[in-house]
Amino acid sequence: MKGFDFPPADLLKLMAETKSYDVIIAGGGFVGMSLALALGGAAPKGLRVALVDAEPPESTKPDARASSLSAASKGLLSVLGVWPEVAQGAEAIANIEITDSSLDARRRPHLLCFDDDLNPGESGAYMIENEDLIRALKSAVLREPAIEMLAPDSVTGFEATPFSIQAELASGGRLGAKLLIAADGKRSRLREQASIKCVGWSYPQLGIVTTVGHTKPHHGKAVQHFLPGGPFAMLPLKGNRTSIVWTEDKTTGEAIMTAGEAAFLAELAKRFGTRLGDITLAGPRQSFPLDFQVARSFVGERLALVGDAAHAVHPLAGQGLNIGLRDVAALTEIVVEGARLGMDVGASALLERYERWRRFDSAFSAIVMDGLNSLFSNDNAPLRVLRDLGLGIVDNAPWLKRALVREAAGVSGTVPRLLKGQRL
């Protein structure tokens, strides 16, 4: 056995101990589980998928966040059979209002307001609590016979050959497949091992999330209030509740997070305003650092990056998860089409097509979010006049507002079939 440093008997034993699949997915978050369901369940003659996750299947970590799901993401989740399980708890965003003022301003002018409707009765986005979504995805994964969930475990290393890729597990096991997918977050170990560099930086800001209850109904209105420290988003949830996504300069944000509950609520109330009546905390508060990051390549030899492993964007427009689900839909469509033609699903031709489809869109979205954050996160009076003038122009251009809704809903441009709610 020329080329191997161990005897043939050991090689045969190693091959026997290596479990084989079509695809290995490292990371069991929203994107990893959605991709496993798409490849293992939604694809015709579903592929054999190993989903490796560091968290045990029964884990129920508290999560104060909620996610804005675009109409396209809803289409994907519908095909995966997940949307019916979460629809009852999802709140449709009826309209969006954008304001821009200093923190102590007595009046907050409504600079831009538009209905978030694609078609009559069809919203462009829906708010859903993360705990509900992760529970539904996990339940669907555990029901799908084509998916084997290996948890708690993690992929610690891999080696690609012209014909397959071998993944080493922290538990000591080995997996073999045609394709390895890194869905292991913005600090991706697999991306680092593949020597794929990133363009990016950390923001001098802190993200704060919580949920508030209020005495008046929100009627499905989302508000994005731009303040000097960063955007303050009020996103409607079921009942008289609102999800808060609050960006603050790092020093101020850390002080707010360490304050007692009464002081925290007082700071929140300054930004929330009085339109929805008295407010109370209706969930835990959490904070997280903010980063901009785009991988220089989305693929390696028999390796594809998806979700935060490929790109991390500022949360001001709530598009991070939606961009990751676009990765899921595009990669699934390419892999399934390749498999139908009898191609190796880890072939470089397929992975290069995935990169061409997704890298520009992801990088463009990240840059737009970064630009908006830089433009609005300051207290420069002349700049405020110019940006408010720009928002006013948009507010008086119905065709432009419709285009913005379609773009945010994920239904413009070349859209993968899964995002249209179509089976492959």
Side-chain angles (χ1 to χ4, degrees), residues 81-98:
V82 172
W83 183 255
E85 295 189 32
V86 298
Q88 189 173 357
E91 177 70 18
I93 295 179
N95 46 64
I96 300 171
E97 181 180 290
I98 296 176

Side-chain angles (χ1 to χ4, degrees), residues 30-244:
F30 293 123
V31 170
M33 286 198 289
S34 298
L35 184 56
L37 287 168
L39 292 172
K45 297 180 181 178
L47 301 167
R48 293 168 301 151
V49 178
L51 178 61
V52 185
D53 188 39
E55 297 292 333
E58 65 277 7
S59 173
T60 54
K61 293 174 64 176
D63 193 336
R65 297 169 297 173
S67 293
S68 172
L69 291 175
S70 67
S73 294
K74 175 193 171 186
L76 170 65
L77 294 176
S78 296
V79 175
L80 300 184
V82 172
W83 183 255
E85 295 189 32
V86 298
Q88 189 173 357
E91 177 70 18
I93 295 179
N95 46 64
I96 300 171
E97 181 180 290
I98 296 176
T99 65
D100 178 21
S101 69
S102 61
L103 182 58
D104 57 357
R106 293 185 177 180
R107 180 175 173 273
R108 297 178 180 179
H110 302 170
L111 300 171
L112 175 59
C113 189
F114 52 89
D115 293 335
D116 196 38
D117 292 333
L118 285 175
N119 300 302
E122 181 186 3
S123 177
Y126 300 80
M127 288 301 302
I128 184 164
E129 292 174 83
N130 282 12
E131 289 182 351
D132 292 343
L133 182 56
I134 204 78
R135 189 183 305 113
L137 284 168
K138 191 171 293 185
S139 177
V141 163
L142 295 175
R143 289 195 306 266
E144 175 53 56
I147 303 170
E148 183 172 0
M149 191 168 190
L150 306 175
D153 212 338
S154 60
V155 177
T156 57
F158 61 89
E159 182 178 359
T161 74
F163 306 104
S164 66
I165 191 163
Q166 304 289 315
E168 298 175 0
L169 301 179
S171 62
R174 288 177 66 91
L175 307 177
K178 295 295 185 181
L179 174 63
L180 173 62
I181 300 171
D184 52 344
K186 62 183 179 182
R187 304 287 181 254
S188 172
R189 176 187 292 178
L190 301 190
R191 184 189 65 225
E192 182 178 335
Q193 290 183 2
S195 299
I196 297 175
K197 304 297 183 183
C198 291
V199 176
W201 51 81
S202 295
Y203 292 103
Q205 294 172 312
L206 190 72
I208 301 172
V209 292
T210 192
T211 300
V212 299
H214 36 81
T215 54
K216 297 179 182 178
H218 48 56
H219 301 296
K221 175 178 283 190
V223 178
Q224 182 77 279
H225 184 40
F226 286 107
L227 292 163
F232 181 87
M234 301 159 56
L235 306 167
L237 297 174
K238 280 292 182 183
N240 284 6
R241 297 182 306 134
T242 291
S243 174
I244 302 299

Side-chain angles (χ1 to χ4, degrees), residues 248-270:
E248 192 57 77
D249 75 80
K250 201 166 186 179
T251 301
T252 303
E254 289 173 348
I256 289 171
M257 282 300 297
T258 56
E261 184 172 308
F264 176 85
L265 188 60
E267 288 294 329
L268 194 155
K270 290 179 187 177

